[in-house]
């Protein structure tokens, strides 16, 4: 190390610099050490600039993909809502469109014949159906291989259960659903049924049935 000139030290690679021992660095002259420090600073600055550029590019890509996905989910949400309710308007909006990292999502739902848009003013069945519409919109935008639905049809009436099962069968072409339900109409559209039954002896038994068979 002591035999290197300042120009040679400035040309050292990062791997060569990290291979120096404490004794070797301690043997450097003040001029050589200053040159080495400047080389390391330049290397760190270059790495920092590259990292900042990568982060900026990643933020642009994230914003682009999020905006596209949000638009798709919003469109599908409106379609499922109108299909479930036989009309009406529903939409998603960002609380702060200019700051996606901290923005929240506002849900507006207006069933046909009603002027209200707040979810808190909807009935239990209407809120359940709105939630199912949003869930199905997310699955339509980005299908998952497997999905568990637990009593999502519990608050739905017969007409809405029919709309729910129709949409469920369409989504089942890309997603495998495990539905926990006590609704007869929902059970009728299943490919397989699994249940627990208790006989007169008080012993529970697991039953299975493939409707396709």
């Amino acid at each position: 190390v002591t035999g290197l000139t300042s120009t040679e030290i400035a040309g050292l690679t990062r791997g060569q610099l990290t291979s120096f021992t404490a004794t070797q660095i301690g043997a450097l002259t003040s001029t050589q050490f200053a040159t080495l420090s400047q080389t390391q600073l330049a290397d760190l600055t270059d790495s920092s600039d590259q990292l900042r550029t990568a982060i900026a590019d990643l933020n642009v890509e994230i914003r682009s993909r999020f905006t596209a996905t949000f638009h798709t989910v919003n469109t599908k949400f409106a379609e499922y809502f109108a299909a479930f309710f036989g009309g009406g308007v529903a939409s998603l909006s960002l609380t702060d469109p200019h700051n996606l990292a901290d923005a929240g999502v506002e849900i507006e739902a207006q069933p046909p014949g009603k002027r209200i848009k707040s979810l808190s003013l909807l009935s239990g069945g209407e809120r359940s159906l709105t939630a199912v519409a949003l869930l199905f919109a997310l699955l339509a935008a980005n299908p998952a291989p497997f999905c568990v639905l637990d009593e999502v049809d519990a608050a739905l009436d017969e007409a809405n259960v029919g709309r729910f099962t129709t949409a469920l069968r369409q989504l089942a072409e890309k997603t495998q659903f495990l539905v926990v339900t006590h609704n007869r109409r929902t059970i009728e559209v299943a490919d397989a049924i699994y249940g627990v039954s208790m006989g007169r002896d008080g012993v529970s038994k697991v039953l299975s049935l493939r409707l396709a068979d």
Side-chain angles (χ1 to χ4, degrees):
V1 178
T2 56
L4 296 177
T5 65
S6 298
T7 302
E8 290 172 331
I9 290 178
L12 293 175
T13 64
R14 182 184 302 178
Q16 291 171 324
L17 290 174
T18 55
S19 66
F20 285 176
T21 64
T23 303
Q24 288 175 314
I25 294 178
L28 293 172
T29 65
S30 59
T31 302
Q32 289 175 320
F33 188 79
T35 302
L36 179 60
S37 298
Q38 292 174 356
T39 302
Q40 291 176 316
L41 178 60
D43 189 38
L44 288 174
T45 302
D46 181 61
S47 297
S48 176
D49 291 341
Q50 292 180 8
L51 183 59
R52 291 178 186 275
T53 300
I55 292 175
D57 293 341
L58 185 60
N59 285 336
V60 171
E61 182 68 16
I62 290 174
R63 175 178 288 273
S64 175
R65 291 194 180 189
F66 177 84
T67 302
T69 302
F70 186 82
H71 175 73
T72 301
V73 172
N74 192 21
T75 301
K76 290 295 183 180
F77 176 50
E79 293 175 358
Y80 277 113
F81 184 88
F84 287 162
F85 284 89
V89 179
S91 64
L92 304 173
S93 61
L94 297 174
T95 56
D96 186 0
H98 302 292
N99 185 12
L100 299 183
D102 298 323
V105 177
E106 293 283 352
I107 303 176
E108 291 188 352
Q110 183 178 2
K114 295 188 177 181
R115 301 180 61 182
I116 58 176
K117 292 186 177 181
S118 175
L119 291 179
S120 61
L121 299 179
L122 299 178
S123 67
E126 290 172 335
R127 285 198 299 269
S128 296
L129 207 55
T130 301
V132 173
L134 179 55
L135 173 62
F136 282 7
L138 292 170
L139 289 173
N142 187 21
F146 189 78
C147 181
V148 179
L149 302 178
D150 187 4
E151 298 284 1
V152 296
D153 57 352
L156 305 183
D157 57 24
E158 283 293 311
N160 286 329
V161 170
R163 299 188 183 104
F164 163 74
T165 55
T166 299
L168 186 65
R169 292 296 296 177
Q170 294 173 349
L171 290 173
E173 296 178 0
K174 296 183 178 180
T175 300
Q176 184 177 9
F177 286 93
L178 174 61
V179 183
V180 180
T181 182
H182 291 86
N183 191 287
R184 176 182 55 81
R185 293 194 61 182
T186 302
I187 295 175
E188 288 176 352
V189 303
D191 295 322
I193 301 173
Y194 300 90
V196 179
S197 177
M198 181 178 294
R200 295 181 179 179
D201 55 0
V203 178
S204 298
K205 297 180 180 179
V206 178
L207 304 176
S208 64
L209 175 65
R210 284 196 170 275
L211 298 184
D213 299 337

